[in-house]
Amino acid sequence: MPNKMTNEARIVPTRFTQIARQKPGMSREEAIQAGQSAVLEMEPEYLDWVDGLLRELWSAVELACQEDDFPNPHGEDAYGLSNQIRNLGATFDYEAVTHVADSFCELIHRLTEAKRNDQHAMRTHLNALRLVSTPNFKRDGGGELEPLMNALGQLVSHYPEPTGSVG
Amino acid sequence: MQGPAKDINLQNISVLVADPGEPAFRITRSILKSFGADPVVHARNVAQASKLIERGTVDLLIVNYHLDGKAGASLVRRIRENRRNPARHIPILMTLGHTTIGAVTLSRDAGANMVLTLPLSPGGLYDRLSWMANHPRPFVDQEKYVGPCRRFKNTGAPGGMERRSMDFDIDDDAEGEAETATAAG
């Protein structure tokens, strides 16, 4: 018979909850405004980061495309790099970067599950990502994002959405 | 819906950000510092994160699901299950980038308090931290699961605001935790 004392759930006080519930020095609005100012200050660095990540991604894609087998380590690198770019874009109002990089991740994920290599689809995604990383595509991309995403979506949809794998 | 997120005090909260990317860490640190959190330290992989966590000086862990490939969830599980770890009860926010099948469930079942879909926004991060601070959940310690009780109702985005289109919360009707959780309330 299980020990009821050890199985009983209880709220465990943590330093985080104790401090966070104390009277704050600034309101939510002030804190968020301070956070937005901090993000704004980092925008010049964002452009350098994406530039560097795109260079690494280009190398990874080229190496992945040279391999007959898929998945391969270069494809995994390309997924990780694309995911990093994805996770940066919208923070700096480059929503298009996040959408295109997400599509690239999904493509590599499906290729991995299907054990297929598709150089054309990968290079097309890379070129699209380079395009939307330019300041012209900041915010809504001037109406050009939707047709671009539709075209990329068609490339991705050649491969079935994985249903059996987890994570 | 729970109404607007409450103001929280993050002064001198110690945060560990476990993320494979330097830019992602620097953005997170910058936002957290503007909220008052300090120090905000970086772990690039599971090994570094484990070492820093075991020191027992971290108040909050923000961990990327894609740490070391997809090992973010297993790091959380190890922290929760290690009874000798002084930090096993700390609040954990799991961040998710490109989302694949089961990532949210895996994060929840590993013992994360909340999941936040990237990219980060100051409002989205603040509101989740506020939710975690103001809605502590009973800690379940069972053979099959260790972590915050997974049985709670999804009442929408914390604070009803700052929700991205790809965002979601952990919600569940986890079997087997109802009795113990309600007993401790």
Side-chain angles (χ1 to χ4, degrees), chain B residues 65-86:
Chain B
Y65 182 84
H66 288 96
L67 191 68
D68 282 355
K70 291 178 180 172
S74 62
L75 170 67
V76 174
R77 189 184 301 276
R78 283 216 303 275
I79 290 168
R80 296 301 193 208
E81 290 181 350
N82 182 357
R83 288 181 170 76
R84 287 179 298 178
N85 185 345

Side-chain angles (χ1 to χ4, degrees), chain A residues 40 43 89-90 92-99 132 134-143 145:
Chain A
L40 210 58
E43 187 165 340
F92 295 92
D93 279 342
Y94 282 80
E95 300 278 349
V97 168
T98 291
H99 285 293
V132 298
T134 58
N136 292 345
F137 273 83
K138 196 171 177 184
R139 297 188 182 87
D140 63 358
L145 181 60

Side-chain angles (χ1 to χ4, degrees), chain A residues 50-62:
Chain A
V50 170
D51 190 49
L53 287 166
L54 278 171
R55 286 171 200 270
E56 285 187 64
L57 182 58
W58 181 85
S59 299
V61 168
E62 286 307 307

Side-chain angles (χ1 to χ4, degrees), chain A residues 7 9-10 15-16 19-22 24 26 28 31 35 38 45 79 83 86-88 91-92 98 105-106 162 167, chain B residues 7-9 26-27 30 34-35 59 65-66 70 97-98 100-101 118-120 126-127 133 139 141 161 180 184:
Chain A
N7 280 344
R10 61 191 172 88
R15 191 169 177 273
F16 171 78
I19 291 178
R21 292 160 90 173
Q22 291 171 1
M26 63 176 118
R28 173 184 178 276
E45 288 177 89
Y79 179 90
N83 199 30
R86 176 206 176 280
N87 295 345
L88 297 177
T91 299
F92 295 92
T98 291
C105 287
E106 183 62 25
Chain B
D7 295 349
I8 47 170
N9 174 45
R26 288 180 58 186
I27 293 165
S30 190
S34 73
F35 293 166
D59 299 322
Y65 182 84
H66 288 96
K70 291 178 180 172
H98 173 251
T100 51
I101 295 168
L118 298 167
L120 212 57
Y126 186 95
D127 288 350
F139 194 86
D141 190 349
M161 58 191 76
T180 51

